[in-house]
Amino acid sequence: MSRLMFYIIVGLLLVAGVATSVHRHVQFEIPWLPGEQRQVWEIEAGITFNAQDGPVQVDLALPSHQAGYRVLTENTASSGYGLAYQADELGRTAQWTIREAAGSQTLYYSVQMLVSQDARSPVQTPPQMSPATPWESPYDTAASQLIEQAWARSANNATFARELIRDVNGERQEENARLLLSQENPAALVVRLLNQAGVLAREVSGLLLEDGRRRQTLSSWIQVFNESGEEWSIFNPLTGEQGKPDNLLLWETGGRAVLEVQGGTNSRVTFSMMTHDQPASAAVRNHYSEDTLLNFSIHSLPLEEQALFQTILLIPIGALMVVFLRVLVGIKTSGTFMPVLIALAFIQTTLPTGLIGFLLIVAVGLIIRNYLSYLNLLLVARVSAVIITVIAIISIFTVLAYRMGLSAGLTITFFPMIILAWTIERMSILWEEEGPKQVLIQGGGSLITAILAYLAMNNPWVRHITFNFLGVQLILMAMILLLGNYTGYRLLELRRFKPITDDEKPS
């Protein structure tokens, strides 16, 4: 039962780690590899109007997350104006207000939209079926005939909308359609006819994205809901084509005005846009702060703490390397996890500088420790003296490196001084008890383990995975538990059987 429970725990850790990591990748689009690029559109809306020397209120509809696009960041430029963002079932709006304004006014709103194939549109609330506005004669007869003709050639709401658009704007356009178009624009006319036939539909506004375009305006599109009112389709009101083009960004989907200005005249909104690529991790960074039980991350912390955790989260990688080398390979080290801390110092100092600094400090420390052994000090006093000695050695080497113009030598201050002191103490005792050979074996093993741990921890892919997918820590825990359960021969112990194989060789 104990073994079964052990494997159940390991399995749960593996499943939880893999599941949370995959969830973050799929749901929040965090890339598996560093350096991935994502396309981002920067769109700026410029609002111009003439204020009438009094209070002004400006309401602008704003885009939301939708199929193919996700909102990243928003900014405004509106000197002297108050600003508030509002959201309801019809969508989002930005509202500028000011107590008094006169003359020409210009307001700016900019948004970054991430191109995301996994982004989905929010649930759209179908419009309420309002009482149909009666047509005057002879427009009522023309509207009825158009509806009857399209209805007869359709099978559902979507095909009815398509046929109606083709009758109004396509090759089948007749006198009835031309008569009604004298009263309404094409999109508004089709929506009115659809509502008259009992079909839930509304006019929405979209922006066709083209890199480098300026002073663009929104275009009208028709949103038609199915019979149950749960799903919707979008149509081009001029061609009747069904479906949302890849470069169409729906700006307003609630069926209300895109821009409303109170206290001003001659209002207008135009759009400029450009696209660029940026690292995927930066493009989705604002979603990291949406911490939930399944999106637990440290990205909501201040940057200083994030930088600290970025290093701390590498320690389990070094621990796994130490366990692997000691349990499976059989490398002996001076101290259990001393190589991990030395590897962390190598990350700060770079490997060549760290190796030279480590060897110099340990060598000089052993010489001084050898002298201290003749003083017959107690253990606590001796170790304390070694610690002070290590600090003095690091200080002297740092000053000498600075005086010689070797800026890389300044980084040896990152070495863990307490660990170095204990390493020197253990090696000195080992030298006295078992001789210099064991010191070289354990010291060399510690250095090899530290170098391998450094190479594993300093890998860009490893740093990216450990920092962005905390579920990896559970996977590492499961792997360490499995390695800790190994009771077989270590690789270096197999040398003991070499004489047996030599004896079995034919003479």
Side-chain angles (χ1 to χ4, degrees), residues 288-326:
Y288 295 159
S289 60
E290 300 175 7
D291 291 319
T292 63
L293 183 61
L294 296 179
N295 185 32
F296 179 76
S297 72
I298 62 175
H299 293 84
S300 57
L301 297 175
L303 290 179
E304 183 177 356
E305 280 70 23
Q306 289 188 38
L308 175 63
F309 271 99
Q310 190 172 28
T311 301
I312 292 176
L313 292 173
L314 294 174
I315 294 178
I317 297 293
L320 176 64
M321 183 63 66
V322 171
V323 173
F324 173 79
L325 293 175
R326 292 194 57 156

Side-chain angles (χ1 to χ4, degrees), residues 331-334 366 426-446 448 495:
I331 293 180
K332 295 181 179 180
T333 62
S334 179
L366 284 174
R426 290 169 61 93
M427 287 185 175
S428 179
I429 296 176
L430 188 64
W431 189 304
E432 295 172 355
E433 295 179 351
E434 302 187 27
K437 181 179 178 181
Q438 286 299 319
V439 172
L440 291 177
I441 291 176
Q442 292 193 18
S446 299
I448 292 174
R495 294 179 302 174

Side-chain angles (χ1 to χ4, degrees), residues 37 42 45 59 66 70 105 134 142-143 157 183 264 274 278 301 319 331-332 338 370 401 405:
Q37 300 287 315
E42 293 192 15
D59 293 281
Q66 56 190 272
R70 191 187 299 276
Q105 304 288 308
N157 288 354
Q183 303 296 310
M274 62 180 296
Q278 68 181 67
L301 297 175
I331 293 180
K332 295 181 179 180
M338 180 272 286
N370 183 56

